[in-house]
Amino acid sequence: MSMTQENTRAAVRFLEGERVFLRPIGTEDTELYFRSLFNKETRMLTGTQKHFTREQIHQYIENKGQDSSSVLLLICLCENDQVIGDVQIGDIDRNNRNAFIRISIDQNAHQGKGYGSEALLLLLDYGFGILNLHRIELNVFAFNERAIHTYEKLGFQREGVQRQALYYNHTYHDSILMSMLADEYRAKYVK
C-alpha cells in the first residue's frame, strides 16, 4: 500500500488530545451509531425513550452534515482509532453566543477513565476558542452522579433543577441545568 493510500484510510482527527481525538461523523458510521443507541445504560443516562431505524439514523447523520447550528463528532481512541462515543455542541445561537453540549460514552469499559473529560475539554476549547461562544450549557439527570461530579470538576456551575423533567422506568427524574461561561473556561484552562 502506498503512503497516499494509507493516509486516506487513516481517521481524520478534527480535534486531538493526548488519549482521544474527535472526528466528523459520516453516513459510513450509520451502523455504528445505530447500534450505540441500543445500549441499555446509555439510553437511560441520556434519557433516550424512542427507538430508531437504521434509515432514520442515516437521515439524521446526513442532516447533521448540513446543520450549521450543530457540531456532532465521534470520540475515538488515539491508540487505535476505535470509536467509543460521541459529543455535540448544538443549538448554536450566534447572536447570543450560546449553545448546549452533550456527550455519550457507549461502553462501560471506556467509562471512568477520563476519556469523556478529555473529549469535553476538546469541544469546550473549540466552542469558546473557535466558535466564540460565551455560554455553553448542559442538562444531566439527577441520578447520574458520576457525570455531575465530572461536570463540576471540569468547571460547570449548577444553575437550577428542572423538577421531574424525565419519565423513565416508571419514575420521574429531575434534570439539573449546568453551564460554563467563556471567562470561567479561560481562567481555568487557558494560560
Side-chain angles (χ1 to χ4, degrees):
M1 177 177 352
S2 74
M3 183 69 111
T4 305
Q5 289 172 321
E6 187 176 309
N7 288 341
T8 59
R9 290 187 183 176
V12 172
R13 297 182 178 211
F14 177 60
L15 301 172
E16 190 169 3
E18 290 181 23
R19 299 184 309 144
V20 300
F21 68 91
L22 308 181
R23 72 164 174 86
I25 190 169
T27 53
E28 67 278 3
D29 299 305
T30 297
E31 184 66 23
L32 176 81
Y33 202 72
F34 173 74
R35 291 197 173 280
S36 74
L37 292 173
F38 290 94
N39 177 303
K40 185 178 179 178
E41 183 180 7
T42 301
R43 290 177 64 80
M44 171 130 184
L45 294 176
T46 60
T48 303
Q49 298 164 317
K50 189 177 180 213
H51 74 283
F52 300 93
T53 65
R54 281 177 183 81
E55 292 75 21
Q56 288 171 313
I57 296 305
H58 186 85
Q59 188 65 50
Y60 173 77
I61 292 170
E62 277 188 343
N63 292 344
K64 281 295 172 191
Q66 307 303 317
D67 181 4
S68 63
S69 70
S70 180
V71 178
L72 174 61
L73 302 167
L74 294 177
I75 305 166
C76 305
L77 297 177
C78 289
E79 65 183 271
N80 59 14
D81 294 355
Q82 180 185 358
V83 175
I84 62 168
D86 65 285
V87 64
Q88 175 183 12
I89 288 181
D91 290 341
I92 298 170
D93 177 344
R94 303 266 184 213
N95 292 329
N96 297 302
R97 298 175 41 218
N98 297 327
F100 77 80
I101 197 168
R102 70 158 192 80
I103 187 169
S104 175
I105 303 289
D106 300 327
Q107 300 169 15
N108 288 341
H110 298 117
Q111 295 172 355
K113 295 185 175 184
Y115 297 140
S117 294
E118 188 175 341
L120 281 170
L121 286 173
L122 288 170
L123 201 54
L124 286 168
D125 193 61
Y126 179 75
F128 291 128
I130 304 297
L131 298 180
N132 194 26
L133 294 173
H134 173 68
R135 179 179 185 280
I136 298 177
E137 70 179 38
L138 61 84
N139 280 81
V140 58
F141 299 114
F143 57 77
N144 194 348
E145 294 175 12
R146 182 172 59 192
I148 293 167
H149 173 74
T150 298
Y151 298 142
E152 289 177 334
K153 188 175 169 184
L154 290 173
F156 281 90
Q157 304 292 316
R158 290 183 191 225
E159 290 189 340
V161 175
Q162 297 168 307
R163 298 178 306 147
Q164 299 185 5
L166 173 70
Y167 183 75
Y168 207 94
N169 285 343
H170 308 281
T171 307
Y172 283 98
H173 303 276
D174 292 346
S175 179
I176 299 169
L177 176 63
M178 304 178 84
S179 73
M180 185 183 296
L181 302 178
D183 61 346
E184 294 167 342
Y185 175 83
R186 289 184 185 105
K188 188 167 180 152
Y189 298 106
V190 179
K191 306 295 180 222

